[in-house]
Amino acid sequence: MTEKRRTIWIGIIVVLLLPLLFSLVVAADRGKIRIETKAQIVEGKVSYVIDAVQVEETIKIQGWALILGEEIKTVNCNVMLIGEESKEQWILPTMVIERNDLTEAFSDGIDYAKAGFLANIPKNRLSLERENYQIYLEYLTNGHSYLVPTNVQVRSIREISWQETDNQEAGISFLIDAVTAKKKVLTIEGWLFCQKDLNKIGKTEVLLLNARTGKAYIVPTDQVERMDLANKQAGFIASVETWRFDFGYDSFEICLRYTDEREVAMIHTGQYVNLEEQEDE
């Protein structure tokens, strides 16, 4: 090949590759994860729902956010994660999902179809083996600059070191109300509070303690309001897919971990998971 022909071919290749390279740069920029925001935390101004948090190799968060009575002229609502312990921040690539059902549901003459969103992040970017992540919404739509706490977390089962606590010394009372397994999901419900201070608001988490290995695992647990108790914040419910553990081979005791501003208590309940006794569908 002559030098002239070689130059022509190189020029053709460059011309063909330039659009592709430009597209890759744009895609990389759109998918960039930021760690800073200028939005200020506000509550009550933005209506929202987190419909689903899927934790697989990629973490996907789907939902909607809007201000009632306000037309959505520009759309830029992002999902932000903040580490419970480390306080590290991640503002995720978020795309608009059409939600015509919102326009029908609110029925006030305003089109809310662009209020839906879907965000994702590779699971290995987070430290879920050490902490949970609080979900916030960075709502920058129509000139607003709000950071909205959702009280929803990204959580994963994680192993912790077991350190037993004396219930009486810690002043802990508890009860496991129900253990059920339906549609391949194990659900554990109950309550726990500290007798020393009935108004104390702590955090209760359900643990599964492997009787054979001695390893303890925290499973995702939510606080439940209990109007039948002196401490209305004492209720909890935990759920985990049954395939996550080999319940047929190992015996797992249901244990509890209670945390407040001063101490951590780990408690045996004496109750074990027995899927054969549960109503499974």
Side-chain angles (χ1 to χ4, degrees), residues 181-193:
K182 295 183 178 180
K183 297 183 179 179
K184 308 303 179 184
V185 175
L186 175 69
T187 302
I188 301 167
E189 302 174 71
W191 55 263
L192 179 151
F193 61 80

Side-chain angles (χ1 to χ4, degrees), residues 126-192:
L126 305 181
S127 302
L128 285 172
E129 72 281 357
R130 295 196 300 271
E131 64 179 341
N132 300 327
Y133 287 79
Q134 185 71 33
I135 298 175
Y136 286 74
L137 300 178
E138 185 191 45
Y139 193 84
L140 307 177
T141 304
N142 292 353
H144 299 299
S145 184
Y146 301 145
L147 191 61
V148 184
T150 69
N151 297 318
V152 179
Q153 293 182 324
V154 177
R155 302 171 296 191
S156 182
I157 298 167
R158 65 182 190 271
E159 182 183 344
I160 65 167
S161 299
W162 174 261
Q163 185 176 355
E164 189 174 348
T165 307
D166 186 314
N167 291 1
Q168 293 183 348
E169 184 178 339
I172 298 293
S173 294
F174 66 87
L175 180 67
I176 302 297
D177 289 318
V179 181
T180 57
K182 295 183 178 180
K183 297 183 179 179
K184 308 303 179 184
V185 175
L186 175 69
T187 302
I188 301 167
E189 302 174 71
W191 55 263
L192 179 151

Side-chain angles (χ1 to χ4, degrees), residues 34 36-48 65-68 70 76-80 82 91 117 135-150:
R34 294 184 288 115
E36 295 182 359
T37 181
K38 295 181 180 179
Q40 300 297 311
I41 293 180
V42 297
E43 296 187 57
K45 292 188 177 182
V46 179
S47 300
Y48 67 86
L66 54 86
I67 295 178
L68 286 172
E70 182 175 282
N76 192 12
C77 180
N78 300 310
V79 171
M80 181 177 189
I82 300 181
I91 301 176
F117 61 79
I135 298 175
Y136 286 74
L137 300 178
E138 185 191 45
Y139 193 84
L140 307 177
T141 304
N142 292 353
H144 299 299
S145 184
Y146 301 145
L147 191 61
V148 184
T150 69

Side-chain angles (χ1 to χ4, degrees), residues 5-216:
R5 293 184 65 185
R6 184 182 295 108
T7 301
I8 292 173
W9 275 109
I10 291 174
I12 293 173
I13 292 172
V14 169
V15 170
L16 292 174
L17 286 177
L18 275 176
L20 176 60
L21 291 173
F22 178 77
S23 298
L24 290 173
V25 170
V26 171
D29 182 64
R30 287 179 179 175
K32 186 177 180 182
I33 299 174
R34 294 184 288 115
I35 58 173
E36 295 182 359
T37 181
K38 295 181 180 179
Q40 300 297 311
I41 293 180
V42 297
E43 296 187 57
K45 292 188 177 182
V46 179
S47 300
Y48 67 86
V49 167
I50 303 296
D51 291 314
V53 179
Q54 180 181 345
V55 181
E56 302 292 345
E57 290 303 313
T58 297
I59 297 170
K60 298 180 180 179
I61 302 168
Q62 187 167 349
W64 56 266
L66 54 86
I67 295 178
L68 286 172
E70 182 175 282
E71 292 279 359
I72 302 177
K73 298 177 182 178
T74 59
V75 181
N76 192 12
C77 180
N78 300 310
V79 171
M80 181 177 189
L81 304 181
I82 300 181
E84 193 174 54
E85 304 294 336
S86 66
K87 304 304 178 185
E88 67 176 359
Q89 300 180 5
W90 301 92
I91 301 176
L92 313 187
T94 309
M95 63 184 294
V96 175
I97 301 295
E98 291 286 333
R99 292 291 302 268
N100 293 317
D101 60 310
L102 297 176
T103 302
E104 297 175 5
F106 291 109
S107 188
D108 59 3
I110 294 178
D111 183 3
Y112 295 115
K114 294 181 180 179
F117 61 79
L118 172 64
N120 64 77
I121 183 174
K123 183 179 178 181
N124 60 15
R125 297 291 295 271
L126 305 181
S127 302
L128 285 172
E129 72 281 357
R130 295 196 300 271
E131 64 179 341
N132 300 327
Y133 287 79
Q134 185 71 33
I135 298 175
Y136 286 74
L137 300 178
E138 185 191 45
Y139 193 84
L140 307 177
T141 304
N142 292 353
H144 299 299
S145 184
Y146 301 145
L147 191 61
V148 184
T150 69
N151 297 318
V152 179
Q153 293 182 324
V154 177
R155 302 171 296 191
S156 182
I157 298 167
R158 65 182 190 271
E159 182 183 344
I160 65 167
S161 299
W162 174 261
Q163 185 176 355
E164 189 174 348
T165 307
D166 186 314
N167 291 1
Q168 293 183 348
E169 184 178 339
I172 298 293
S173 294
F174 66 87
L175 180 67
I176 302 297
D177 289 318
V179 181
T180 57
K182 295 183 178 180
K183 297 183 179 179
K184 308 303 179 184
V185 175
L186 175 69
T187 302
I188 301 167
E189 302 174 71
W191 55 263
L192 179 151
F193 61 80
C194 182
Q195 293 176 327
K196 295 179 180 179
D197 187 353
L198 293 179
N199 295 318
K200 181 187 294 184
I201 299 176
K203 178 182 179 182
T204 301
E205 295 167 292
V206 172
L207 312 179
L208 293 179
L209 180 63
N210 189 310
R212 178 177 61 85
T213 66
K215 293 182 178 180

